[in-house]
Amino acid sequence: MKEVVIATENTGKFHEIKVLLGSEFDAFYSLRDFSEKIVVSEDSPFYIENAMKKARKAGDRFGLHTIADDSGLEVEALDGRPGIYSSRYGKDDADRISKLLNELEGVPWDKRKAVFKAYLAFYMPDKERCYVFYGDIHGTIGFERHGEGGFGFDPVFYIPEIGKYAAELNIEEKNRLSHRGKAVLALKSFLNMDFFKNSRVLSL
Ligand code: IMP
């Protein structure tokens, strides 16, 4: 049986990743499925290192293939903030959004450009190998909240290519367009590459 841990406590992230990889694994676990808590201090200034650190720690602890992502929102008018500190920018999603809208008060539409970035690490503890995949999505921070779906900054992230806010997308649309969706699809292609599937060194 092919099992995988998605090393997150965030149910929004867990579902987005699980939906895309449904055909690749037989069982998915999030960190909420284990009584032992995995604490990782995301102390690197680089998303890629934090993603690998999370994947390695959970993978080594549970002895299962593990996926971990580190992501963030970089706002041009804020010189790339909150970026790597996105999850620590406020105490919860509502607080983070209020803070962002306050910081951008008076900033006109064409100066509110932003990008979400995601680094997704896939770690195989048995092989001690870790691969990392990247995705991004460009948009604009709106003046107020729109939509009920998604999580995090989704209600204020407008996506010009579809003409909707991220929180207005269904899960299929979000996964097709989003930073995390793109990174997960890159992982999926990798898992389906012949060299990976056939190789005795790397096979799942
Ligand atoms: P981390 O990757 O768990 O460190 O958290 C990244 C933070 O960036 C989240 O807590 C959200 O605030 C924000 N974020 C990352 N991806 C998304 C997304 O797809 N939608 C909205 N907010 C996101």
Side-chain angles (χ1 to χ4, degrees):
M1 174 152 107
K2 288 198 264 180
E3 298 171 292
V4 70
V5 177
I6 302 176
T8 184
E9 298 268 350
N10 179 326
T11 45
K13 269 190 192 181
F14 177 74
H15 284 294
E16 287 183 11
I17 297 172
K18 184 179 167 186
V19 163
L20 281 176
L21 293 177
S23 53
E24 306 300 322
F25 298 95
D26 305 310
F28 291 82
Y29 309 105
S30 86
L31 293 182
R32 289 172 183 257
D33 292 316
F34 299 93
S35 51
E36 183 185 332
K37 288 298 142 212
I38 297 289
V39 181
V40 180
S41 56
E42 297 183 29
D43 50 7
S44 166
F46 302 109
Y47 299 104
I48 191 168
E49 284 185 355
N50 288 328
M52 288 171 70
K53 201 170 160 187
K54 264 189 272 189
R56 283 180 186 279
K57 187 149 184 187
D60 282 336
R61 180 63 201 91
F62 301 125
L64 292 170
H65 292 150
T66 299
I67 294 168
D69 102 320
D70 196 34
S71 49
L73 175 70
E74 301 185 2
V75 181
E76 214 173 277
L78 303 178
D79 296 323
R81 282 191 302 112
I84 193 107
Y85 302 107
S86 293
S87 58
R88 287 160 276 174
Y89 183 58
K91 68 177 187 323
D92 53 27
D93 283 347
D95 185 44
R96 287 186 274 270
I97 290 179
S98 303
K99 207 169 156 187
L100 182 64
L101 292 179
N102 284 339
E103 281 211 79
L104 291 177
E105 204 169 329
V107 177
W109 183 259
D110 61 337
K111 297 265 185 311
R112 299 171 77 96
K113 293 195 171 51
V115 56
F116 270 124
K117 294 183 176 173
Y119 286 80
L120 194 87
F122 176 61
Y123 176 58
M124 294 175 282
D126 47 340
K127 316 283 190 291
E128 290 187 14
R129 282 174 187 264
C130 193
Y131 295 90
V132 183
F133 304 86
Y134 172 77
D136 59 24
I137 177 171
H138 291 262
T140 299
I141 304 302
F143 296 109
E144 58 207 21
R145 295 164 173 80
H146 295 260
E148 304 294 329
F151 68 94
F153 296 101
D154 281 349
V156 291
F157 190 80
Y158 178 77
I159 306 167
E161 64 186 292
I162 195 166
K164 288 182 191 173
Y165 283 80
E168 295 176 317
L169 305 180
N170 62 39
I171 194 157
E172 182 277 317
E173 291 170 320
K174 174 130 192 236
N175 270 338
R176 181 161 46 81
L177 299 170
S178 82
H179 50 314
R180 189 169 309 97
K182 289 170 189 163
V184 177
L185 286 179
L187 164 63
K188 192 169 173 171
S189 309
F190 173 78
L191 295 175
N192 283 293
M193 282 167 77
D194 285 345
F195 96 86
F196 184 76
K197 286 204 136 166
N198 300 333
S199 154
R200 263 180 285 162
V201 181
L202 294 176
S203 63
L204 285 170

